[in-house]
Structure formats: structure tokens, C-alpha cells
Amino acid sequence: MTSVPAPNAAVTLTVGPDAAGQRLDKALASLAGEISRARLQQVIKEGGVSLNGAIARDGSRKVAEGDHVTLVMPAAKPAEPVGQDIPLDVVYEDEHLIVIDKPAGLVVHPAGGHEDGTLVNALIAHCGMSLSGIGGVRRPGIVHRLDKDTSGLLVVAKTDRAHQKLARQFADHGRTGPLQRAYLAIAWGAPRLREGTIDAPIERSTRNREKMAVVKEGRGREAITHIALIERYPPLRKGLDETEPLASLIECRLETGRTHQIRVHMSHIGHPLLGDRLYGSGFATKAARLPEEAQAALAALGRQALHAAILGFEHPASGETMLFESEPPEDFANLQAALAKL
């Protein structure tokens, strides 16, 4: 079977020698390649699968060569979050996925304190019936997230198949494929080296549950960020001794994708992001040293100076390498311009 069967339509598949002896759910997943195994396990429990004419609710049951497996896929349930007419900056869209340039201030997924008004609510309204039943629910497939106050590029799956394939790419972190994620960050001070790697595990802070923290090796989850210095503020000027810059523009490339990873790593090396109240609260004295124009631009930013500028991945259907770039939004660009005048 090469595509998801129509809702409530019965499709009968025959177990071949390669699947003989396997669990029913595993064999069915290999036969029905467009549907995730987790979704099929759910359908089996709901009575949507028959083995040789009898309903089979036990996914662990073994199948034999020549067995006939009949699958009836139920229609996807309506998404629990409701669709809301929220403007979206759509960079790319087809029947498999959608790439959004997310504005700062937009939460990606409904959660405590943000039950609506999220990107998911916007996507349900925007995509409508083009969303397939991911996990049995007609909803967008979130494979990675951006913090509420981080702007930039985000890819979202519209089908179960695309969700599976994109999720595998993000889990691999681009080590064996074309996935790449690069961010622009404005940080206090500047790293001594123009390029470097921050390899420091992260876990949730025991002191403040809103924060993540770098921990000793052997604890937490692996977290790796590659950084490159792009610009210093004030810039080096010919004939002047090199002094510690007040701030810098840095490109951060993720090799892993932990919560708040860039913000935590940059703070860990002594260069937290401008505007980051959670990880850079101790740098208020540096903010006071900024000229009036730069102080006004930082106040107008009102968030961490972080923008997801580059996103690349393999298209889950065509296999084509997709690459998208996003210019920083106005608030970020205004801060850049004010700092460049130092």
C-alpha cells in the first residue's frame, strides 16, 4: 500500500515471507508504509484491524505468511485546539508541509497559560482540510519549536508521513543528512575566538524550574552549539588597540535542539543575549552603558535578541534538499543598526 486509505474504507493486505512471524502491528506498519506504527497500534485497539476475517485487538499477536490483514482507517477526529484567524507569514507550502516565518511573541503550541492564540491554532485555520490525521487527529505536526520570543523559520508537517520523516531528521540533528538550523544572536561582549563549539550538557535547573542549566558531564542531555563571530560592537578601528567590545553579532548553528539551548550556552560562556531577562539578568549595568539610541532599540526589542535565520532539510516526499533564509525582523535590525553606530 503506497497511500493512506480513504476514511472508513477497507483495505486488505497479504502477509508476505518478509513479514511472517512478526507482530501484527509491526507487520502492518511495513505493509502500510504511509501510516505510523503508533497510529496503527491505536487503530488496532479500536477494532479497525481484522486478521483472516476476525477483529484483532492485540497488536503483539504474530502473523504468518499468507495471512490476510484488513485495515479500516477511521476518519481523523477534529483537532482539540480550535482554528483561529491569526495572520501567518508563509514562506513555503505544499500538501506535505508548511514553512512559517514566526514573529516574536507567538507561542508555537497550546500549553498552560497559552490555551489559544498559538501557531497551532493559526495553522488549523490556515490549512483546513489539507491537514491529515496525525496520530488520528486532524492537526499540524510540530517537529521542532521556537521560544515564544524568538522569531524566524519553522517547518510543520501536514501529514503523518511527513511528520515521521521530518521528526527523524531533527532527531538526527543533521549528522547524516542536510538538516541545518542557524540563528542570529546579539550577545553581550564577544567570544575571543572567531569560531568555536560549545559542548555542554543541559538539564532543567533545580533552583528555578523556568530555566535550563549547564550541568557536569554524565548528567543532563547532550547539547552542542557551533558559534561564529560575525560583527563586533563597537567594531575594531584601524590604529586603535583592541578592547573588549560591548556586544557582538554571532551566528549559532545547532547540532542538537535542547530547550533554550542557545540562550543557556551563550550565558554559560559569559555572553548572554541582549534582552534575555531569564539568562542575562546580571547585565543591566552593561545596558546602562549603551548610548541613548541603542538603549531605546533594546527597550523596543523587549525580548532576547535571537532570530532563526536559516532552515534546511530534506523534503519528506521528494527527497529534495530545501533551504530557506529569513532576514531579521525590524526590532532586531533596529538594534543591530544602533549598535553599529557605537
Side-chain angles (χ1 to χ4, degrees), residues 38-71:
R39 175 64 177 130
L40 290 169
Q41 289 172 335
Q42 182 182 352
V43 175
I44 290 170
K45 289 179 182 178
E46 294 172 352
V49 173
S50 298
L51 182 62
N52 298 324
I55 292 176
R57 296 181 186 271
D58 183 4
S60 65
R61 179 176 177 177
K62 298 294 183 7
V63 297
E65 184 178 357
D67 279 350
H68 298 293
V69 182
T70 301
L71 171 65

PDB file of all heavy atoms in Angstrom, residues 38-71:
ATOM      1  N   ALA A  38       2.666   3.826  15.615  1.00  0.00           N
ATOM      2  CA  ALA A  38       1.901   4.262  16.783  1.00  0.00           C
ATOM      3  C   ALA A  38       0.427   4.465  16.421  1.00  0.00           C
ATOM      4  O   ALA A  38      -0.476   4.099  17.184  1.00  0.00           O
ATOM      5  CB  ALA A  38       2.495   5.546  17.344  1.00  0.00           C
ATOM      6  N   ARG A  39       0.177   5.043  15.252  1.00  0.00           N
ATOM      7  CA  ARG A  39      -1.202   5.262  14.806  1.00  0.00           C
ATOM      8  C   ARG A  39      -1.889   3.925  14.549  1.00  0.00           C
ATOM      9  O   ARG A  39      -3.049   3.727  14.918  1.00  0.00           O
ATOM     10  CB  ARG A  39      -1.208   6.118  13.535  1.00  0.00           C
ATOM     11  CG  ARG A  39      -2.587   6.299  12.906  1.00  0.00           C
ATOM     12  CD  ARG A  39      -3.522   7.061  13.813  1.00  0.00           C
ATOM     13  NE  ARG A  39      -4.814   7.295  13.167  1.00  0.00           N
ATOM     14  CZ  ARG A  39      -5.974   7.030  13.725  1.00  0.00           C
ATOM     15  NH1 ARG A  39      -6.022   6.521  14.940  1.00  0.00           N
ATOM     16  NH2 ARG A  39      -7.098   7.281  13.098  1.00  0.00           N
ATOM     17  N   LEU A  40      -1.174   2.976  13.941  1.00  0.00           N
ATOM     18  CA  LEU A  40      -1.757   1.663  13.658  1.00  0.00           C
ATOM     19  C   LEU A  40      -2.071   0.917  14.948  1.00  0.00           C
ATOM     20  O   LEU A  40      -3.089   0.222  15.036  1.00  0.00           O
ATOM     21  CB  LEU A  40      -0.805   0.848  12.780  1.00  0.00           C
ATOM     22  CG  LEU A  40      -0.677   1.351  11.331  1.00  0.00           C
ATOM     23  CD1 LEU A  40       0.479   0.646  10.626  1.00  0.00           C
ATOM     24  CD2 LEU A  40      -1.978   1.135  10.563  1.00  0.00           C
ATOM     25  N   GLN A  41      -1.207   1.046  15.965  1.00  0.00           N
ATOM     26  CA  GLN A  41      -1.488   0.417  17.260  1.00  0.00           C
ATOM     27  C   GLN A  41      -2.790   0.943  17.836  1.00  0.00           C
ATOM     28  O   GLN A  41      -3.580   0.191  18.423  1.00  0.00           O
ATOM     29  CB  GLN A  41      -0.319   0.667  18.217  1.00  0.00           C
ATOM     30  CG  GLN A  41       0.939  -0.116  17.865  1.00  0.00           C
ATOM     31  CD  GLN A  41       2.137   0.282  18.695  1.00  0.00           C
ATOM     32  OE1 GLN A  41       2.203   1.405  19.204  1.00  0.00           O
ATOM     33  NE2 GLN A  41       3.097  -0.610  18.844  1.00  0.00           N
ATOM     34  N   GLN A  42      -3.018   2.244  17.657  1.00  0.00           N
ATOM     35  CA  GLN A  42      -4.250   2.858  18.135  1.00  0.00           C
ATOM     36  C   GLN A  42      -5.455   2.294  17.390  1.00  0.00           C
ATOM     37  O   GLN A  42      -6.488   1.973  17.998  1.00  0.00           O
ATOM     38  CB  GLN A  42      -4.167   4.367  17.953  1.00  0.00           C
ATOM     39  CG  GLN A  42      -5.365   5.139  18.461  1.00  0.00           C
ATOM     40  CD  GLN A  42      -5.221   6.636  18.205  1.00  0.00           C
ATOM     41  OE1 GLN A  42      -4.172   7.119  17.787  1.00  0.00           O
ATOM     42  NE2 GLN A  42      -6.286   7.379  18.436  1.00  0.00           N
ATOM     43  N   VAL A  43      -5.326   2.163  16.053  1.00  0.00           N
ATOM     44  CA  VAL A  43      -6.422   1.635  15.231  1.00  0.00           C
ATOM     45  C   VAL A  43      -6.713   0.183  15.601  1.00  0.00           C
ATOM     46  O   VAL A  43      -7.881  -0.234  15.658  1.00  0.00           O
ATOM     47  CB  VAL A  43      -6.085   1.776  13.731  1.00  0.00           C
ATOM     48  CG1 VAL A  43      -7.158   1.107  12.868  1.00  0.00           C
ATOM     49  CG2 VAL A  43      -5.962   3.243  13.345  1.00  0.00           C
ATOM     50  N   ILE A  44      -5.672  -0.595  15.862  1.00  0.00           N
ATOM     51  CA  ILE A  44      -5.852  -1.996  16.266  1.00  0.00           C
ATOM     52  C   ILE A  44      -6.667  -2.076  17.557  1.00  0.00           C
ATOM     53  O   ILE A  44      -7.626  -2.846  17.663  1.00  0.00           O
ATOM     54  CB  ILE A  44      -4.481  -2.694  16.440  1.00  0.00           C
ATOM     55  CG1 ILE A  44      -3.804  -2.891  15.078  1.00  0.00           C
ATOM     56  CG2 ILE A  44      -4.641  -4.053  17.143  1.00  0.00           C
ATOM     57  CD1 ILE A  44      -2.362  -3.352  15.171  1.00  0.00           C
ATOM     58  N   LYS A  45      -6.315  -1.260  18.548  1.00  0.00           N
ATOM     59  CA  LYS A  45      -7.028  -1.265  19.832  1.00  0.00           C
ATOM     60  C   LYS A  45      -8.486  -0.859  19.665  1.00  0.00           C
ATOM     61  O   LYS A  45      -9.367  -1.304  20.406  1.00  0.00           O
ATOM     62  CB  LYS A  45      -6.339  -0.322  20.808  1.00  0.00           C
ATOM     63  CG  LYS A  45      -4.994  -0.827  21.303  1.00  0.00           C
ATOM     64  CD  LYS A  45      -4.339   0.175  22.249  1.00  0.00           C
ATOM     65  CE  LYS A  45      -2.975  -0.316  22.704  1.00  0.00           C
ATOM     66  NZ  LYS A  45      -2.305   0.679  23.595  1.00  0.00           N
ATOM     67  N   GLU A  46      -8.748  -0.001  18.669  1.00  0.00           N
ATOM     68  CA  GLU A  46     -10.113   0.477  18.436  1.00  0.00           C
ATOM     69  C   GLU A  46     -10.932  -0.479  17.576  1.00  0.00           C
ATOM     70  O   GLU A  46     -12.095  -0.204  17.266  1.00  0.00           O
ATOM     71  CB  GLU A  46     -10.065   1.856  17.782  1.00  0.00           C
ATOM     72  CG  GLU A  46      -9.495   2.943  18.686  1.00  0.00           C
ATOM     73  CD  GLU A  46      -9.273   4.266  17.970  1.00  0.00           C
ATOM     74  OE1 GLU A  46      -9.430   4.295  16.717  1.00  0.00           O
ATOM     75  OE2 GLU A  46      -8.950   5.263  18.637  1.00  0.00           O
ATOM     76  N   GLY A  47     -10.336  -1.628  17.171  1.00  0.00           N
ATOM     77  CA  GLY A  47     -11.065  -2.624  16.395  1.00  0.00           C
ATOM     78  C   GLY A  47     -11.072  -2.371  14.907  1.00  0.00           C
ATOM     79  O   GLY A  47     -11.919  -2.933  14.186  1.00  0.00           O
ATOM     80  N   GLY A  48     -10.136  -1.600  14.425  1.00  0.00           N
ATOM     81  CA  GLY A  48     -10.098  -1.283  13.000  1.00  0.00           C
ATOM     82  C   GLY A  48      -9.290  -2.236  12.155  1.00  0.00           C
ATOM     83  O   GLY A  48      -9.110  -2.006  10.956  1.00  0.00           O
ATOM     84  N   VAL A  49      -8.773  -3.321  12.754  1.00  0.00           N
ATOM     85  CA  VAL A  49      -7.952  -4.284  12.011  1.00  0.00           C
ATOM     86  C   VAL A  49      -8.520  -5.689  12.215  1.00  0.00           C
ATOM     87  O   VAL A  49      -8.832  -6.095  13.344  1.00  0.00           O
ATOM     88  CB  VAL A  49      -6.480  -4.230  12.479  1.00  0.00           C
ATOM     89  CG1 VAL A  49      -5.663  -5.332  11.830  1.00  0.00           C
ATOM     90  CG2 VAL A  49      -5.873  -2.865  12.153  1.00  0.00           C
ATOM     91  N   SER A  50      -8.637  -6.419  11.108  1.00  0.00           N
ATOM     92  CA  SER A  50      -9.085  -7.819  11.155  1.00  0.00           C
ATOM     93  C   SER A  50      -7.988  -8.711  10.603  1.00  0.00           C
ATOM     94  O   SER A  50      -7.280  -8.335   9.653  1.00  0.00           O
ATOM     95  CB  SER A  50     -10.357  -8.014  10.337  1.00  0.00           C
ATOM     96  OG  SER A  50     -11.417  -7.235  10.864  1.00  0.00           O
ATOM     97  N   LEU A  51      -7.833  -9.889  11.207  1.00  0.00           N
ATOM     98  CA  LEU A  51      -6.862 -10.881  10.753  1.00  0.00           C
ATOM     99  C   LEU A  51      -7.621 -12.112  10.306  1.00  0.00           C
ATOM    100  O   LEU A  51      -8.299 -12.761  11.109  1.00  0.00           O
ATOM    101  CB  LEU A  51      -5.887 -11.225  11.880  1.00  0.00           C
ATOM    102  CG  LEU A  51      -4.769 -12.217  11.558  1.00  0.00           C
ATOM    103  CD1 LEU A  51      -3.860 -11.673  10.453  1.00  0.00           C
ATOM    104  CD2 LEU A  51      -3.948 -12.519  12.806  1.00  0.00           C
ATOM    105  N   ASN A  52      -7.543 -12.382   9.006  1.00  0.00           N
ATOM    106  CA  ASN A  52      -8.261 -13.510   8.403  1.00  0.00           C
ATOM    107  C   ASN A  52      -9.753 -13.478   8.740  1.00  0.00           C
ATOM    108  O   ASN A  52     -10.371 -14.505   9.050  1.00  0.00           O
ATOM    109  CB  ASN A  52      -7.645 -14.848   8.851  1.00  0.00           C
ATOM    110  CG  ASN A  52      -6.205 -14.986   8.399  1.00  0.00           C
ATOM    111  OD1 ASN A  52      -5.839 -14.549   7.311  1.00  0.00           O
ATOM    112  ND2 ASN A  52      -5.379 -15.574   9.247  1.00  0.00           N
ATOM    113  N   GLY A  53     -10.325 -12.264   8.711  1.00  0.00           N
ATOM    114  CA  GLY A  53     -11.762 -12.100   8.880  1.00  0.00           C
ATOM    115  C   GLY A  53     -12.222 -11.851  10.294  1.00  0.00           C
ATOM    116  O   GLY A  53     -13.396 -11.520  10.510  1.00  0.00           O
ATOM    117  N   ALA A  54     -11.338 -11.990  11.283  1.00  0.00           N
ATOM    118  CA  ALA A  54     -11.728 -11.768  12.682  1.00  0.00           C
ATOM    119  C   ALA A  54     -11.015 -10.534  13.224  1.00  0.00           C
ATOM    120  O   ALA A  54      -9.811 -10.345  12.991  1.00  0.00           O
ATOM    121  CB  ALA A  54     -11.379 -12.996  13.533  1.00  0.00           C
ATOM    122  N   ILE A  55     -11.769  -9.704  13.961  1.00  0.00           N
ATOM    123  CA  ILE A  55     -11.179  -8.493  14.527  1.00  0.00           C
ATOM    124  C   ILE A  55     -10.030  -8.869  15.457  1.00  0.00           C
ATOM    125  O   ILE A  55     -10.159  -9.759  16.303  1.00  0.00           O
ATOM    126  CB  ILE A  55     -12.240  -7.666  15.288  1.00  0.00           C
ATOM    127  CG1 ILE A  55     -13.263  -7.087  14.295  1.00  0.00           C
ATOM    128  CG2 ILE A  55     -11.584  -6.528  16.079  1.00  0.00           C
ATOM    129  CD1 ILE A  55     -14.390  -6.332  14.951  1.00  0.00           C
ATOM    130  N   ALA A  56      -8.899  -8.192  15.299  1.00  0.00           N
ATOM    131  CA  ALA A  56      -7.701  -8.462  16.108  1.00  0.00           C
ATOM    132  C   ALA A  56      -7.340  -7.200  16.876  1.00  0.00           C
ATOM    133  O   ALA A  56      -6.926  -6.204  16.279  1.00  0.00           O
ATOM    134  CB  ALA A  56      -6.548  -8.902  15.210  1.00  0.00           C
ATOM    135  N   ARG A  57      -7.494  -7.237  18.196  1.00  0.00           N
ATOM    136  CA  ARG A  57      -7.207  -6.063  19.019  1.00  0.00           C
ATOM    137  C   ARG A  57      -5.855  -6.154  19.726  1.00  0.00           C
ATOM    138  O   ARG A  57      -5.492  -5.247  20.461  1.00  0.00           O
ATOM    139  CB  ARG A  57      -8.306  -5.869  20.062  1.00  0.00           C
ATOM    140  CG  ARG A  57      -9.682  -5.571  19.465  1.00  0.00           C
ATOM    141  CD  ARG A  57     -10.710  -5.358  20.565  1.00  0.00           C
ATOM    142  NE  ARG A  57     -12.051  -5.201  20.028  1.00  0.00           N
ATOM    143  CZ  ARG A  57     -12.586  -4.035  19.669  1.00  0.00           C
ATOM    144  NH1 ARG A  57     -11.882  -2.923  19.806  1.00  0.00           N
ATOM    145  NH2 ARG A  57     -13.820  -3.969  19.191  1.00  0.00           N
ATOM    146  N   ASP A  58      -5.142  -7.251  19.491  1.00  0.00           N
ATOM    147  CA  ASP A  58      -3.840  -7.457  20.130  1.00  0.00           C
ATOM    148  C   ASP A  58      -2.729  -7.244  19.101  1.00  0.00           C
ATOM    149  O   ASP A  58      -2.493  -8.106  18.255  1.00  0.00           O
ATOM    150  CB  ASP A  58      -3.760  -8.863  20.726  1.00  0.00           C
ATOM    151  CG  ASP A  58      -2.453  -9.112  21.462  1.00  0.00           C
ATOM    152  OD1 ASP A  58      -1.638  -8.157  21.574  1.00  0.00           O
ATOM    153  OD2 ASP A  58      -2.231 -10.252  21.910  1.00  0.00           O
ATOM    154  N   GLY A  59      -2.056  -6.098  19.194  1.00  0.00           N
ATOM    155  CA  GLY A  59      -1.009  -5.791  18.223  1.00  0.00           C
ATOM    156  C   GLY A  59       0.210  -6.671  18.341  1.00  0.00           C
ATOM    157  O   GLY A  59       1.024  -6.746  17.409  1.00  0.00           O
ATOM    158  N   SER A  60       0.371  -7.380  19.472  1.00  0.00           N
ATOM    159  CA  SER A  60       1.546  -8.234  19.665  1.00  0.00           C
ATOM    160  C   SER A  60       1.357  -9.630  19.068  1.00  0.00           C
ATOM    161  O   SER A  60       2.301 -10.431  19.023  1.00  0.00           O
ATOM    162  CB  SER A  60       1.869  -8.357  21.151  1.00  0.00           C
ATOM    163  OG  SER A  60       0.833  -9.030  21.845  1.00  0.00           O
ATOM    164  N   ARG A  61       0.182  -9.915  18.595  1.00  0.00           N
ATOM    165  CA  ARG A  61      -0.107 -11.226  18.006  1.00  0.00           C
ATOM    166  C   ARG A  61       0.746 -11.451  16.753  1.00  0.00           C
ATOM    167  O   ARG A  61       0.910 -10.553  15.931  1.00  0.00           O
ATOM    168  CB  ARG A  61      -1.593 -11.291  17.653  1.00  0.00           C
ATOM    169  CG  ARG A  61      -2.036 -12.586  17.006  1.00  0.00           C
ATOM    170  CD  ARG A  61      -3.539 -12.567  16.801  1.00  0.00           C
ATOM    171  NE  ARG A  61      -4.007 -13.748  16.123  1.00  0.00           N
ATOM    172  CZ  ARG A  61      -5.278 -14.011  15.861  1.00  0.00           C
ATOM    173  NH1 ARG A  61      -6.209 -13.127  16.253  1.00  0.00           N
ATOM    174  NH2 ARG A  61      -5.640 -15.109  15.238  1.00  0.00           N
ATOM    175  N   LYS A  62       1.306 -12.643  16.613  1.00  0.00           N
ATOM    176  CA  LYS A  62       2.184 -12.954  15.479  1.00  0.00           C
ATOM    177  C   LYS A  62       1.354 -13.291  14.238  1.00  0.00           C
ATOM    178  O   LYS A  62       0.261 -13.873  14.335  1.00  0.00           O
ATOM    179  CB  LYS A  62       3.116 -14.114  15.814  1.00  0.00           C
ATOM    180  CG  LYS A  62       4.061 -13.824  16.985  1.00  0.00           C
ATOM    181  CD  LYS A  62       5.023 -12.750  16.636  1.00  0.00           C
ATOM    182  CE  LYS A  62       6.052 -12.418  17.699  1.00  0.00           C
ATOM    183  NZ  LYS A  62       6.177 -13.182  18.878  1.00  0.00           N
ATOM    184  N   VAL A  63       1.882 -12.915  13.076  1.00  0.00           N
ATOM    185  CA  VAL A  63       1.218 -13.219  11.809  1.00  0.00           C
ATOM    186  C   VAL A  63       2.036 -14.232  11.025  1.00  0.00           C
ATOM    187  O   VAL A  63       3.240 -14.398  11.264  1.00  0.00           O
ATOM    188  CB  VAL A  63       1.014 -11.947  10.964  1.00  0.00           C
ATOM    189  CG1 VAL A  63       0.091 -10.972  11.674  1.00  0.00           C
ATOM    190  CG2 VAL A  63       2.347 -11.283  10.645  1.00  0.00           C
ATOM    191  N   ALA A  64       1.373 -14.911  10.097  1.00  0.00           N
ATOM    192  CA  ALA A  64       2.033 -15.930   9.288  1.00  0.00           C
ATOM    193  C   ALA A  64       1.924 -15.555   7.816  1.00  0.00           C
ATOM    194  O   ALA A  64       1.050 -14.783   7.414  1.00  0.00           O
ATOM    195  CB  ALA A  64       1.392 -17.294   9.539  1.00  0.00           C
ATOM    196  N   GLU A  65       2.827 -16.120   7.008  1.00  0.00           N
ATOM    197  CA  GLU A  65       2.786 -15.858   5.571  1.00  0.00           C
ATOM    198  C   GLU A  65       1.436 -16.289   5.002  1.00  0.00           C
ATOM    199  O   GLU A  65       0.929 -17.370   5.316  1.00  0.00           O
ATOM    200  CB  GLU A  65       3.912 -16.609   4.866  1.00  0.00           C
ATOM    201  CG  GLU A  65       3.991 -16.319   3.379  1.00  0.00           C
ATOM    202  CD  GLU A  65       5.152 -17.031   2.695  1.00  0.00           C
ATOM    203  OE1 GLU A  65       5.942 -17.712   3.402  1.00  0.00           O
ATOM    204  OE2 GLU A  65       5.265 -16.910   1.451  1.00  0.00           O
ATOM    205  N   GLY A  66       0.866 -15.422   4.190  1.00  0.00           N
ATOM    206  CA  GLY A  66      -0.424 -15.700   3.578  1.00  0.00           C
ATOM    207  C   GLY A  66      -1.607 -15.191   4.356  1.00  0.00           C
ATOM    208  O   GLY A  66      -2.740 -15.198   3.853  1.00  0.00           O
ATOM    209  N   ASP A  67      -1.387 -14.732   5.620  1.00  0.00           N
ATOM    210  CA  ASP A  67      -2.487 -14.145   6.389  1.00  0.00           C
ATOM    211  C   ASP A  67      -3.031 -12.905   5.679  1.00  0.00           C
ATOM    212  O   ASP A  67      -2.270 -12.151   5.036  1.00  0.00           O
ATOM    213  CB  ASP A  67      -2.011 -13.739   7.788  1.00  0.00           C
ATOM    214  CG  ASP A  67      -1.950 -14.906   8.762  1.00  0.00           C
ATOM    215  OD1 ASP A  67      -2.456 -15.988   8.410  1.00  0.00           O
ATOM    216  OD2 ASP A  67      -1.386 -14.730   9.860  1.00  0.00           O
ATOM    217  N   HIS A  68      -4.321 -12.702   5.816  1.00  0.00           N
ATOM    218  CA  HIS A  68      -4.963 -11.524   5.234  1.00  0.00           C
ATOM    219  C   HIS A  68      -5.291 -10.533   6.350  1.00  0.00           C
ATOM    220  O   HIS A  68      -6.008 -10.868   7.287  1.00  0.00           O
ATOM    221  CB  HIS A  68      -6.235 -11.907   4.472  1.00  0.00           C
ATOM    222  CG  HIS A  68      -5.982 -12.828   3.322  1.00  0.00           C
ATOM    223  ND1 HIS A  68      -5.289 -12.446   2.200  1.00  0.00           N
ATOM    224  CD2 HIS A  68      -6.321 -14.141   3.144  1.00  0.00           C
ATOM    225  CE1 HIS A  68      -5.216 -13.466   1.359  1.00  0.00           C
ATOM    226  NE2 HIS A  68      -5.830 -14.527   1.909  1.00  0.00           N
ATOM    227  N   VAL A  69      -4.744  -9.353   6.238  1.00  0.00           N
ATOM    228  CA  VAL A  69      -4.969  -8.304   7.239  1.00  0.00           C
ATOM    229  C   VAL A  69      -5.819  -7.212   6.604  1.00  0.00           C
ATOM    230  O   VAL A  69      -5.436  -6.629   5.583  1.00  0.00           O
ATOM    231  CB  VAL A  69      -3.635  -7.711   7.730  1.00  0.00           C
ATOM    232  CG1 VAL A  69      -3.894  -6.657   8.803  1.00  0.00           C
ATOM    233  CG2 VAL A  69      -2.722  -8.809   8.270  1.00  0.00           C
ATOM    234  N   THR A  70      -6.973  -6.956   7.199  1.00  0.00           N
ATOM    235  CA  THR A  70      -7.870  -5.924   6.686  1.00  0.00           C
ATOM    236  C   THR A  70      -7.807  -4.711   7.603  1.00  0.00           C
ATOM    237  O   THR A  70      -7.974  -4.823   8.823  1.00  0.00           O
ATOM    238  CB  THR A  70      -9.317  -6.434   6.594  1.00  0.00           C
ATOM    239  OG1 THR A  70      -9.351  -7.573   5.721  1.00  0.00           O
ATOM    240  CG2 THR A  70     -10.240  -5.346   6.037  1.00  0.00           C
ATOM    241  N   LEU A  71      -7.557  -3.567   7.009  1.00  0.00           N
ATOM    242  CA  LEU A  71      -7.406  -2.320   7.744  1.00  0.00           C
ATOM    243  C   LEU A  71      -8.515  -1.356   7.356  1.00  0.00           C
ATOM    244  O   LEU A  71      -8.755  -1.108   6.173  1.00  0.00           O
ATOM    245  CB  LEU A  71      -6.042  -1.691   7.426  1.00  0.00           C
ATOM    246  CG  LEU A  71      -5.775  -0.264   7.926  1.00  0.00           C
ATOM    247  CD1 LEU A  71      -5.745  -0.224   9.448  1.00  0.00           C
ATOM    248  CD2 LEU A  71      -4.451   0.255   7.354  1.00  0.00           C
TER     249      LEU A  71
END
